Amino acid sequence: MTEENKNLEALAQEYDASQIQVLEGLEAVRMRPGMYIGSTSKEGLHHLVWEIVDNSIDEALAGFASQIDVFIEPDNSITVVDDGRGIPVDIQEKTGRPAVETVFTVLHAGGKFGGGGYKVSGGLHGVGSSVVNALSTQLDVRVHKNGQIHYQEYRRGVVVDDLEVIGKTDRTGTTVHFTPDPEIFTETTEYDFFKLAKRIQELAFLNKGLKISISDKREGHEQRKDFHYEGGITSYVEYINENKDVIFEHPIYTDGEMDGISVEVAMQYTTGYHETVMSFANNIHTHEGGTHEQGFRTALTRVVNDYARSNNILKEKDDNLTGEDVREGLTAVISVKHPNPQFEGQTKTKLGNSEVVKITNRLFSDAFQRFLLENPQTARKIVEKGILASKARIAAKRAREVTRKKSGLEISNLPGKLADCSSNNAEMNELFIVEGDSAGGSAKSGRNREYQAILPIRGKILNVEKATMDKILANEEIRSLFTAMGTGFGADFDVSKARYQKLVIMTDADVDGAHIRTLLLTLIYRFMRPVLEAGYVYIAQPPIYGVKVGSEIKEYIQPGADQETQLQEALARYTVGRSKPTVQRYKGLGEMDDHQLWETTMDPERRLMARVSVDDAAEADKIFDMLMGDKVEPRREFIEENAVYSTLDI
Ligand code: TSJ
């Protein structure tokens, strides 16, 4: 063998060895997909998109891409397009293969080449495009670079052909298209447009100036949403507070950088009592908080107290405002970008890097202090809001000490109007809150007494949004609901004491019914939130039509997008010759007798109920403000979009 041949031989062997290793690497991903993407459920399926999109975001943060487009293709495959530099296609010395091929075939290879800048985004599990490749039946990449389009394709992570040039181009960028493997994603391979859109909007908020879109190309669902916020997280705060009253117009915004760690904070106070502080590290929502939040909170409390004292708004004898006081009504978004983030906690969504406390504290303190000095009117409003909160806190504590002794909410005082069920099994028990005495009467006689309880309520219950705690507790309708549920109130609230694990709101399908339902939902949201979070809350769905032959009702039609089609089909079914069935339209629960109410709305075998879910506290807060607000149109849209009807046996 010549010297040259020997070298070639050695090279070939090396190449084979590396190829085998590559296969082993990606085979491991297919063997244990959960280790790399968290799960193979709906979550994991969507996670694939973020693994790919994160790369384009990095390119945008590095200053080379400005537009990212995500497409759900008609077959539920995904395409991601950016206008960055394009993944390098040159042959790497180490592997002898084009860089782009390595990106898709070697585990953890993403972003390791090219030098310079660090990866800012990157999923929770810190893996990359090769994992997506391994878990896709098919993946292809098109790199527009140096006037050429470079193309390569893979099947379940295995290269089909060498990288090839398939055409000319006058732009640069990367396009990746992949089809998740149904052998891996056994639960579902169907993408959820709204789930993707929600996160894409969040990415647009978190990366100011970024232009990012999501398009659904599936038949009958075609739609596109574009997101672009020059205001970044300031726009995020404005968005969260959209339906709320605020105490000053423009959110306070600060940004800074120290030791390679960048910190941004945007905040604004609402006139309400709820605190919405959301934090992010490298674009990941740190649900469990962490060192950045800690630094922010400490700074906020200290700066407000310092300002209040030096301006003699807080006197020497006064106690300091607590963190809780200072955060009442606050909406804030904190976003840090760290070259080496440490994620801790149960769900790995708590930032652990200890140096971030001081950095966030310092950067935010300086800017916030300056803001207060330059905006004395706003500063005074902030301090006064904190003082009001502290007074309310002290008063509430006193009131609690009194009510704890005898709140009147003990189960021994079950309200007279409650028609309770006989079973003590909370898991199967259902409490129907029924509007009006007449419907309440039908529900009482139509129900299954073993596990269904009825609580009739009358008229408009108190609007809890605007009432104080003692007024709420004095309201009879509200008291009977709390007593019946058995969960206690306020600080003593205990969801595990719920006497019913289904709380069903049954109101008329008219404007008054919608109003009462909204008030009840707000009450539950504000004061029984754990019940909502546990998924115990439902909205009954009485039918809209009955199809009658003679005096006998043959079929009921439930409300929904296809109600008219359903009705026409039912009419056709019961038409014999020239004798047509008649249609009864139900406007209220009162139009049904007890038997009909049971059949159509209460019988678990036949009824339809919508479960009320709270996806995300901030989102829910926004929705409820919207429901309570004066704008009718968004409210109607919300009800139409979110009352997800299900025929499951609930
Ligand atoms: F990772 C991936 F393949 F999944 C993927 C990467 C998917 C998508 C949709 C885009 C990208 C991507 C990668 N967009 N832009 C880039 N940029 C680079 O990889 C790149 C380009 C040039 C240089 C350089 O130093 O010249 C360095 C890098 C990392």
Side-chain angles (χ1 to χ4, degrees), residues 175-226:
T175 299
V176 171
H177 167 251
F178 65 92
T179 308
D181 189 344
E183 284 177 17
I184 303 284
F185 301 95
T186 47
E187 189 182 297
T188 179
T189 49
E190 217 176 293
Y191 277 103
D192 178 337
F193 178 81
F194 288 99
K195 193 176 167 74
L196 293 179
K198 197 175 146 193
R199 171 65 177 159
I200 282 172
Q201 180 181 32
E202 186 169 82
L203 286 169
F205 280 131
L206 291 169
N207 302 284
K208 80 174 106 181
L210 174 68
K211 293 180 180 141
I212 185 164
S213 76
I214 167 88
S215 306
D216 198 336
K217 292 164 79 179
R218 290 172 297 191
E219 205 186 317
H221 298 273
E222 291 88 350
Q223 57 184 320
R224 173 181 171 121
K225 282 192 194 309
D226 280 85

CSV table of all heavy atoms in Angstrom, one decimal, residues 175-226:
chain,number,residue,atom,x,y,z
A,175,THR,N,-33.8,27.3,6.4
A,175,THR,CA,-35.1,26.8,6.5
A,175,THR,C,-35.1,25.3,6.9
A,175,THR,O,-34.3,24.5,6.3
A,175,THR,CB,-35.8,26.8,5.1
A,175,THR,OG1,-35.9,28.2,4.7
A,175,THR,CG2,-37.2,26.2,5.1
A,176,VAL,N,-35.8,25.0,8.0
A,176,VAL,CA,-35.8,23.6,8.5
A,176,VAL,C,-37.2,23.1,8.5
A,176,VAL,O,-38.1,23.9,8.9
A,176,VAL,CB,-35.2,23.5,9.9
A,176,VAL,CG1,-35.4,22.1,10.5
A,176,VAL,CG2,-33.7,23.8,9.9
A,177,HIS,N,-37.4,21.9,7.9
A,177,HIS,CA,-38.8,21.4,7.9
A,177,HIS,C,-38.7,20.0,8.5
A,177,HIS,O,-37.8,19.2,8.1
A,177,HIS,CB,-39.3,21.3,6.4
A,177,HIS,CG,-40.5,20.4,6.2
A,177,HIS,ND1,-40.4,19.2,5.6
A,177,HIS,CD2,-41.7,20.6,6.6
A,177,HIS,CE1,-41.6,18.7,5.6
A,177,HIS,NE2,-42.4,19.5,6.2
A,178,PHE,N,-39.6,19.6,9.4
A,178,PHE,CA,-39.6,18.3,10.0
A,178,PHE,C,-41.0,17.8,10.3
A,178,PHE,O,-41.9,18.5,10.5
A,178,PHE,CB,-38.7,18.3,11.3
A,178,PHE,CG,-39.3,19.2,12.4
A,178,PHE,CD1,-40.2,18.6,13.4
A,178,PHE,CD2,-39.1,20.5,12.5
A,178,PHE,CE1,-40.8,19.3,14.4
A,178,PHE,CE2,-39.6,21.3,13.5
A,178,PHE,CZ,-40.5,20.7,14.5
A,179,THR,N,-41.0,16.4,10.3
A,179,THR,CA,-42.3,15.7,10.6
A,179,THR,C,-42.1,14.8,11.8
A,179,THR,O,-41.4,13.8,11.8
A,179,THR,CB,-42.7,14.8,9.4
A,179,THR,OG1,-42.6,15.6,8.2
A,179,THR,CG2,-44.0,14.2,9.6
A,180,PRO,N,-42.7,15.2,12.9
A,180,PRO,CA,-42.6,14.4,14.2
A,180,PRO,C,-43.0,13.0,13.9
A,180,PRO,O,-44.0,12.7,13.2
A,180,PRO,CB,-43.5,15.1,15.1
A,180,PRO,CG,-43.6,16.5,14.6
A,180,PRO,CD,-43.5,16.4,13.2
A,181,ASP,N,-42.2,12.0,14.5
A,181,ASP,CA,-42.4,10.6,14.3
A,181,ASP,C,-43.6,10.1,15.2
A,181,ASP,O,-43.5,10.1,16.4
A,181,ASP,CB,-41.1,9.9,14.7
A,181,ASP,CG,-41.2,8.4,14.3
A,181,ASP,OD1,-42.3,7.9,14.0
A,181,ASP,OD2,-40.1,7.8,14.3
A,182,PRO,N,-44.7,9.6,14.5
A,182,PRO,CA,-45.8,9.1,15.3
A,182,PRO,C,-45.4,7.9,16.2
A,182,PRO,O,-46.2,7.6,17.1
A,182,PRO,CB,-46.9,8.7,14.3
A,182,PRO,CG,-46.2,8.7,13.0
A,182,PRO,CD,-44.9,9.6,13.1
A,183,GLU,N,-44.3,7.2,15.8
A,183,GLU,CA,-43.9,6.1,16.7
A,183,GLU,C,-43.4,6.6,18.0
A,183,GLU,O,-43.4,5.9,19.0
A,183,GLU,CB,-42.7,5.3,16.0
A,183,GLU,CG,-43.1,4.4,14.9
A,183,GLU,CD,-41.9,3.8,14.2
A,183,GLU,OE1,-40.8,3.8,14.8
A,183,GLU,OE2,-42.1,3.3,13.0
A,184,ILE,N,-43.0,7.8,18.1
A,184,ILE,CA,-42.5,8.4,19.3
A,184,ILE,C,-43.6,9.2,20.0
A,184,ILE,O,-43.8,9.0,21.2
A,184,ILE,CB,-41.3,9.4,19.0
A,184,ILE,CG1,-40.2,8.7,18.2
A,184,ILE,CG2,-40.8,10.1,20.3
A,184,ILE,CD1,-39.3,7.9,19.1
A,185,PHE,N,-44.3,10.0,19.2
A,185,PHE,CA,-45.4,10.9,19.8
A,185,PHE,C,-46.7,10.1,19.7
A,185,PHE,O,-47.5,10.4,18.8
A,185,PHE,CB,-45.4,12.2,19.1
A,185,PHE,CG,-44.0,12.9,19.3
A,185,PHE,CD1,-43.1,12.9,18.3
A,185,PHE,CD2,-43.8,13.6,20.5
A,185,PHE,CE1,-41.8,13.5,18.5
A,185,PHE,CE2,-42.5,14.2,20.7
A,185,PHE,CZ,-41.6,14.1,19.7
A,186,THR,N,-46.9,9.1,20.5
A,186,THR,CA,-48.0,8.2,20.4
A,186,THR,C,-49.3,8.9,20.9
A,186,THR,O,-50.4,8.4,20.5
A,186,THR,CB,-47.7,6.9,21.2
A,186,THR,OG1,-47.3,7.3,22.5
A,186,THR,CG2,-46.7,6.1,20.5
A,187,GLU,N,-49.2,9.9,21.7
A,187,GLU,CA,-50.4,10.5,22.2
A,187,GLU,C,-51.1,11.4,21.1
A,187,GLU,O,-52.3,11.3,20.9
A,187,GLU,CB,-50.1,11.4,23.4
A,187,GLU,CG,-51.3,11.9,24.2
A,187,GLU,CD,-50.8,12.8,25.4
A,187,GLU,OE1,-50.2,12.3,26.3
A,187,GLU,OE2,-51.2,14.0,25.3
A,188,THR,N,-50.3,12.3,20.5
A,188,THR,CA,-50.8,13.1,19.5
A,188,THR,C,-49.6,13.6,18.6
A,188,THR,O,-48.5,13.8,19.1
A,188,THR,CB,-51.6,14.3,20.0
A,188,THR,OG1,-52.1,15.1,18.9
A,188,THR,CG2,-50.8,15.2,20.9
A,189,THR,N,-49.9,13.8,17.3
A,189,THR,CA,-49.0,14.5,16.4
A,189,THR,C,-49.6,15.7,15.8
A,189,THR,O,-49.2,16.3,14.8
A,189,THR,CB,-48.5,13.6,15.3
A,189,THR,OG1,-49.6,13.0,14.7
A,189,THR,CG2,-47.6,12.5,15.8
A,190,GLU,N,-50.7,16.2,16.5
A,190,GLU,CA,-51.4,17.3,16.0
A,190,GLU,C,-51.0,18.6,16.7
A,190,GLU,O,-51.0,18.7,18.0
A,190,GLU,CB,-52.9,17.1,16.1
A,190,GLU,CG,-53.6,17.7,15.0
A,190,GLU,CD,-55.1,17.4,15.0
A,190,GLU,OE1,-55.5,16.2,14.9
A,190,GLU,OE2,-55.8,18.4,15.2
A,191,TYR,N,-50.6,19.6,16.0
A,191,TYR,CA,-50.1,20.8,16.6
A,191,TYR,C,-51.3,21.7,17.0
A,191,TYR,O,-52.3,21.8,16.3
A,191,TYR,CB,-49.1,21.6,15.7
A,191,TYR,CG,-47.7,21.0,15.9
A,191,TYR,CD1,-47.2,20.2,15.0
A,191,TYR,CD2,-47.0,21.3,17.1
A,191,TYR,CE1,-45.9,19.6,15.2
A,191,TYR,CE2,-45.7,20.8,17.3
A,191,TYR,CZ,-45.2,19.9,16.3
A,191,TYR,OH,-44.0,19.4,16.6
A,192,ASP,N,-51.1,22.5,18.1
A,192,ASP,CA,-52.1,23.4,18.6
A,192,ASP,C,-51.7,24.8,18.3
A,192,ASP,O,-50.7,25.3,18.8
A,192,ASP,CB,-52.1,23.1,20.2
A,192,ASP,CG,-53.1,24.0,20.9
A,192,ASP,OD1,-53.4,25.1,20.4
A,192,ASP,OD2,-53.5,23.7,22.0
A,193,PHE,N,-52.4,25.4,17.4
A,193,PHE,CA,-52.0,26.7,16.9
A,193,PHE,C,-51.9,27.7,18.0
A,193,PHE,O,-50.9,28.5,18.1
A,193,PHE,CB,-53.0,27.2,15.8
A,193,PHE,CG,-52.7,28.6,15.3
A,193,PHE,CD1,-51.8,28.8,14.3
A,193,PHE,CD2,-53.4,29.7,15.8
A,193,PHE,CE1,-51.5,30.1,13.8
A,193,PHE,CE2,-53.1,31.0,15.4
A,193,PHE,CZ,-52.2,31.2,14.4
A,194,PHE,N,-52.9,27.7,18.9
A,194,PHE,CA,-52.9,28.7,20.0
A,194,PHE,C,-51.7,28.5,21.0
A,194,PHE,O,-51.2,29.5,21.5
A,194,PHE,CB,-54.2,28.8,20.7
A,194,PHE,CG,-55.3,29.4,19.8
A,194,PHE,CD1,-56.2,28.5,19.1
A,194,PHE,CD2,-55.4,30.7,19.6
A,194,PHE,CE1,-57.1,29.1,18.2
A,194,PHE,CE2,-56.3,31.3,18.7
A,194,PHE,CZ,-57.2,30.5,18.0
A,195,LYS,N,-51.4,27.3,21.2
A,195,LYS,CA,-50.3,27.0,22.1
A,195,LYS,C,-49.0,27.6,21.5
A,195,LYS,O,-48.2,28.2,22.2
A,195,LYS,CB,-50.2,25.5,22.3
A,195,LYS,CG,-49.3,25.1,23.5
A,195,LYS,CD,-49.3,23.5,23.6
A,195,LYS,CE,-48.2,23.0,24.5
A,195,LYS,NZ,-48.5,23.3,25.9
A,196,LEU,N,-48.8,27.3,20.2
A,196,LEU,CA,-47.6,27.8,19.5
A,196,LEU,C,-47.6,29.4,19.5
A,196,LEU,O,-46.6,30.0,19.7
A,196,LEU,CB,-47.5,27.2,18.1
A,196,LEU,CG,-47.2,25.7,18.0
A,196,LEU,CD1,-47.1,25.3,16.6
A,196,LEU,CD2,-45.9,25.3,18.7
A,197,ALA,N,-48.8,29.9,19.2
A,197,ALA,CA,-48.9,31.4,19.0
A,197,ALA,C,-48.6,32.1,20.3
A,197,ALA,O,-48.0,33.1,20.3
A,197,ALA,CB,-50.3,31.7,18.5
A,198,LYS,N,-49.1,31.5,21.4
A,198,LYS,CA,-48.9,32.1,22.7
A,198,LYS,C,-47.4,32.3,23.0
A,198,LYS,O,-46.9,33.3,23.5
A,198,LYS,CB,-49.6,31.3,23.8
A,198,LYS,CG,-49.9,32.0,25.0
A,198,LYS,CD,-50.7,31.1,26.0
A,198,LYS,CE,-50.3,31.4,27.4
A,198,LYS,NZ,-50.7,30.5,28.4
A,199,ARG,N,-46.7,31.2,22.8
A,199,ARG,CA,-45.2,31.2,23.1
A,199,ARG,C,-44.5,32.1,22.1
A,199,ARG,O,-43.5,32.8,22.5
A,199,ARG,CB,-44.7,29.8,23.1
A,199,ARG,CG,-43.2,29.7,23.2
A,199,ARG,CD,-42.6,30.2,24.6
A,199,ARG,NE,-41.2,30.0,24.6
A,199,ARG,CZ,-40.3,30.6,25.4
A,199,ARG,NH1,-40.8,31.5,26.2
A,199,ARG,NH2,-39.0,30.4,25.4
A,200,ILE,N,-44.9,32.1,20.9
A,200,ILE,CA,-44.3,32.9,19.9
A,200,ILE,C,-44.5,34.4,20.2
A,200,ILE,O,-43.6,35.2,20.1
A,200,ILE,CB,-44.7,32.5,18.5
A,200,ILE,CG1,-44.0,31.2,18.1
A,200,ILE,CG2,-44.5,33.6,17.4
A,200,ILE,CD1,-44.5,30.6,16.8
A,201,GLN,N,-45.7,34.7,20.7
A,201,GLN,CA,-45.9,36.1,21.1
A,201,GLN,C,-45.0,36.5,22.3
A,201,GLN,O,-44.4,37.6,22.3
A,201,GLN,CB,-47.4,36.3,21.5
A,201,GLN,CG,-47.7,37.7,21.9
A,201,GLN,CD,-49.1,37.9,22.4
A,201,GLN,OE1,-49.7,37.0,22.9
A,201,GLN,NE2,-49.6,39.1,22.1
A,202,GLU,N,-44.9,35.5,23.2
A,202,GLU,CA,-44.0,35.8,24.3
A,202,GLU,C,-42.6,36.0,23.9
A,202,GLU,O,-41.9,36.9,24.4
A,202,GLU,CB,-44.1,34.6,25.3
A,202,GLU,CG,-43.4,34.8,26.6
A,202,GLU,CD,-43.7,33.7,27.6
A,202,GLU,OE1,-43.1,32.6,27.5
A,202,GLU,OE2,-44.6,33.9,28.4
A,203,LEU,N,-42.1,35.2,22.9
A,203,LEU,CA,-40.7,35.4,22.4
A,203,LEU,C,-40.6,36.7,21.8
A,203,LEU,O,-39.5,37.4,21.9
A,203,LEU,CB,-40.4,34.2,21.4
A,203,LEU,CG,-40.1,32.9,22.1
A,203,LEU,CD1,-40.1,31.8,21.0
A,203,LEU,CD2,-38.9,32.9,22.9
A,204,ALA,N,-41.6,37.2,21.1
A,204,ALA,CA,-41.6,38.5,20.5
A,204,ALA,C,-41.5,39.6,21.6
A,204,ALA,O,-40.7,40.6,21.4
A,204,ALA,CB,-42.8,38.8,19.6
A,205,PHE,N,-42.2,39.5,22.7
A,205,PHE,CA,-42.1,40.4,23.8
A,205,PHE,C,-40.7,40.4,24.4
A,205,PHE,O,-40.1,41.4,24.7
A,205,PHE,CB,-43.1,40.1,24.9
A,205,PHE,CG,-44.5,40.5,24.6
A,205,PHE,CD1,-45.6,39.6,24.8
A,205,PHE,CD2,-44.8,41.8,24.3
A,205,PHE,CE1,-46.9,39.9,24.6
A,205,PHE,CE2,-46.2,42.2,24.0
A,205,PHE,CZ,-47.2,41.3,24.2
A,206,LEU,N,-40.2,39.2,24.5
A,206,LEU,CA,-38.9,39.1,25.3
A,206,LEU,C,-37.7,39.5,24.4
A,206,LEU,O,-36.6,39.7,25.0
A,206,LEU,CB,-38.7,37.6,25.7
A,206,LEU,CG,-39.7,37.2,26.8
A,206,LEU,CD1,-39.6,35.7,27.0
A,206,LEU,CD2,-39.4,37.9,28.1
A,207,ASN,N,-37.9,39.5,23.1
A,207,ASN,CA,-36.7,39.9,22.3
A,207,ASN,C,-37.2,41.1,21.4
A,207,ASN,O,-37.6,40.9,20.3
A,207,ASN,CB,-36.3,38.7,21.4
A,207,ASN,CG,-35.9,37.5,22.3
A,207,ASN,OD1,-34.9,37.5,22.9
A,207,ASN,ND2,-36.9,36.6,22.4
A,208,LYS,N,-37.0,42.3,21.9
A,208,LYS,CA,-37.6,43.5,21.3
A,208,LYS,C,-37.0,43.6,19.9
A,208,LYS,O,-35.9,43.4,19.6
A,208,LYS,CB,-37.4,44.7,22.2
A,208,LYS,CG,-36.1,45.4,22.1
A,208,LYS,CD,-36.1,46.7,22.9
A,208,LYS,CE,-35.3,46.5,24.2
A,208,LYS,NZ,-35.3,47.7,25.0
A,209,GLY,N,-37.9,44.0,19.0
A,209,GLY,CA,-37.6,44.3,17.6
A,209,GLY,C,-37.7,43.0,16.8
A,209,GLY,O,-37.8,43.1,15.5
A,210,LEU,N,-37.7,41.9,17.4
A,210,LEU,CA,-37.8,40.6,16.6
A,210,LEU,C,-39.1,40.5,15.9
A,210,LEU,O,-40.2,40.8,16.5
A,210,LEU,CB,-37.7,39.4,17.6
A,210,LEU,CG,-37.9,38.0,17.0
A,210,LEU,CD1,-36.8,37.7,16.0
A,210,LEU,CD2,-38.0,37.0,18.1
A,211,LYS,N,-39.1,40.1,14.6
A,211,LYS,CA,-40.3,39.9,13.9
A,211,LYS,C,-40.5,38.4,13.8
A,211,LYS,O,-39.7,37.7,13.2
A,211,LYS,CB,-40.2,40.6,12.5
A,211,LYS,CG,-40.2,42.1,12.6
A,211,LYS,CD,-40.1,42.7,11.2
A,211,LYS,CE,-40.0,44.2,11.2
A,211,LYS,NZ,-39.1,44.7,10.2
A,212,ILE,N,-41.6,38.0,14.3
A,212,ILE,CA,-41.9,36.5,14.2
A,212,ILE,C,-43.3,36.2,13.9
A,212,ILE,O,-44.2,36.9,14.4
A,212,ILE,CB,-41.4,35.8,15.6
A,212,ILE,CG1,-41.5,34.3,15.5
A,212,ILE,CG2,-42.0,36.4,16.8
A,212,ILE,CD1,-40.7,33.6,16.6
A,213,SER,N,-43.6,35.2,13.1
A,213,SER,CA,-44.9,34.9,12.7
A,213,SER,C,-45.2,33.4,12.9
A,213,SER,O,-44.3,32.6,13.0
A,213,SER,CB,-45.2,35.3,11.3
A,213,SER,OG,-44.6,34.3,10.4
A,214,ILE,N,-46.5,33.1,13.0
A,214,ILE,CA,-47.0,31.7,13.0
A,214,ILE,C,-48.1,31.6,12.0
A,214,ILE,O,-49.0,32.4,12.1
A,214,ILE,CB,-47.3,31.3,14.5
A,214,ILE,CG1,-48.1,30.0,14.5
A,214,ILE,CG2,-48.2,32.3,15.2
A,214,ILE,CD1,-47.3,28.7,14.5
A,215,SER,N,-48.0,30.6,11.2
A,215,SER,CA,-49.1,30.4,10.2
A,215,SER,C,-49.6,29.0,10.3
A,215,SER,O,-48.8,28.0,10.4
A,215,SER,CB,-48.6,30.6,8.8
A,215,SER,OG,-47.9,31.8,8.7
A,216,ASP,N,-50.9,28.8,10.2
A,216,ASP,CA,-51.6,27.5,10.1
A,216,ASP,C,-52.0,27.3,8.7
A,216,ASP,O,-52.7,28.1,8.1
A,216,ASP,CB,-52.8,27.5,11.1
A,216,ASP,CG,-53.2,26.1,11.4
A,216,ASP,OD1,-52.9,25.2,10.6
A,216,ASP,OD2,-53.8,25.9,12.5
A,217,LYS,N,-51.4,26.2,8.1
A,217,LYS,CA,-51.8,26.0,6.7
A,217,LYS,C,-52.7,24.7,6.6
A,217,LYS,O,-53.0,24.2,5.5
A,217,LYS,CB,-50.5,25.7,5.9
A,217,LYS,CG,-49.7,27.0,5.7
A,217,LYS,CD,-48.3,26.8,5.3
A,217,LYS,CE,-48.1,26.6,3.8
A,217,LYS,NZ,-46.7,26.4,3.5
A,218,ARG,N,-53.2,24.3,7.7
A,218,ARG,CA,-54.1,23.1,7.7
A,218,ARG,C,-55.5,23.5,7.2
A,218,ARG,O,-56.0,24.6,7.5
A,218,ARG,CB,-54.2,22.5,9.1
A,218,ARG,CG,-52.9,21.9,9.5
A,218,ARG,CD,-53.0,21.4,11.0
A,218,ARG,NE,-53.1,22.6,11.9
A,218,ARG,CZ,-53.0,22.5,13.2
A,218,ARG,NH1,-52.7,21.3,13.8
A,218,ARG,NH2,-53.1,23.6,14.0
A,219,GLU,N,-56.0,22.6,6.4
A,219,GLU,CA,-57.3,22.9,5.7
A,219,GLU,C,-58.4,23.3,6.7
A,219,GLU,O,-58.6,22.6,7.7
A,219,GLU,CB,-57.7,21.7,4.9
A,219,GLU,CG,-58.6,22.0,3.7
A,219,GLU,CD,-59.2,20.8,3.0
A,219,GLU,OE1,-58.4,19.8,2.8
A,219,GLU,OE2,-60.4,20.7,2.7
A,220,GLY,N,-59.0,24.4,6.3
A,220,GLY,CA,-60.1,24.8,7.2
A,220,GLY,C,-59.7,25.6,8.4
A,220,GLY,O,-60.5,26.2,9.1
A,221,HIS,N,-58.4,25.7,8.7
A,221,HIS,CA,-57.9,26.4,9.8
A,221,HIS,C,-56.9,27.5,9.4
A,221,HIS,O,-56.1,27.9,10.3
A,221,HIS,CB,-57.2,25.4,10.8
A,221,HIS,CG,-58.1,24.3,11.3
A,221,HIS,ND1,-58.9,24.5,12.5
A,221,HIS,CD2,-58.4,23.1,10.8
A,221,HIS,CE1,-59.6,23.4,12.7
A,221,HIS,NE2,-59.4,22.6,11.7
A,222,GLU,N,-56.8,27.8,8.2
A,222,GLU,CA,-55.8,28.7,7.7
A,222,GLU,C,-55.8,30.0,8.5
A,222,GLU,O,-56.9,30.7,8.6
A,222,GLU,CB,-56.0,29.0,6.2
A,222,GLU,CG,-55.7,27.8,5.3
A,222,GLU,CD,-56.9,26.9,5.0
A,222,GLU,OE1,-57.9,27.1,5.7
A,222,GLU,OE2,-56.8,26.0,4.2
A,223,GLN,N,-54.7,30.4,9.0
A,223,GLN,CA,-54.6,31.7,9.7
A,223,GLN,C,-53.1,32.0,9.9
A,223,GLN,O,-52.3,31.2,9.9
A,223,GLN,CB,-55.4,31.7,11.0
A,223,GLN,CG,-54.9,30.6,12.0
A,223,GLN,CD,-55.8,30.6,13.3
A,223,GLN,OE1,-56.1,31.7,13.8
A,223,GLN,NE2,-56.1,29.4,13.8
A,224,ARG,N,-52.9,33.3,10.2
A,224,ARG,CA,-51.5,33.7,10.4
A,224,ARG,C,-51.5,34.9,11.5
A,224,ARG,O,-52.4,35.7,11.5
A,224,ARG,CB,-50.9,34.3,9.1
A,224,ARG,CG,-49.5,34.9,9.3
A,224,ARG,CD,-49.0,35.4,8.0
A,224,ARG,NE,-47.8,36.2,8.2
A,224,ARG,CZ,-46.6,35.9,7.7
A,224,ARG,NH1,-46.4,34.9,6.9
A,224,ARG,NH2,-45.5,36.7,8.0
A,225,LYS,N,-50.5,34.8,12.4
A,225,LYS,CA,-50.4,35.9,13.3
A,225,LYS,C,-48.9,36.4,13.3
A,225,LYS,O,-48.0,35.6,13.3
A,225,LYS,CB,-50.7,35.5,14.8
A,225,LYS,CG,-52.2,35.4,15.0
A,225,LYS,CD,-52.5,35.2,16.5
A,225,LYS,CE,-53.9,34.8,16.9
A,225,LYS,NZ,-55.0,35.4,16.4
A,226,ASP,N,-48.8,37.7,13.2
A,226,ASP,CA,-47.4,38.3,13.2
A,226,ASP,C,-47.2,39.1,14.5
A,226,ASP,O,-48.1,39.8,15.0
A,226,ASP,CB,-47.3,39.3,12.0
A,226,ASP,CG,-47.1,38.6,10.7
A,226,ASP,OD1,-48.1,38.2,10.1
A,226,ASP,OD2,-45.9,38.5,10.3
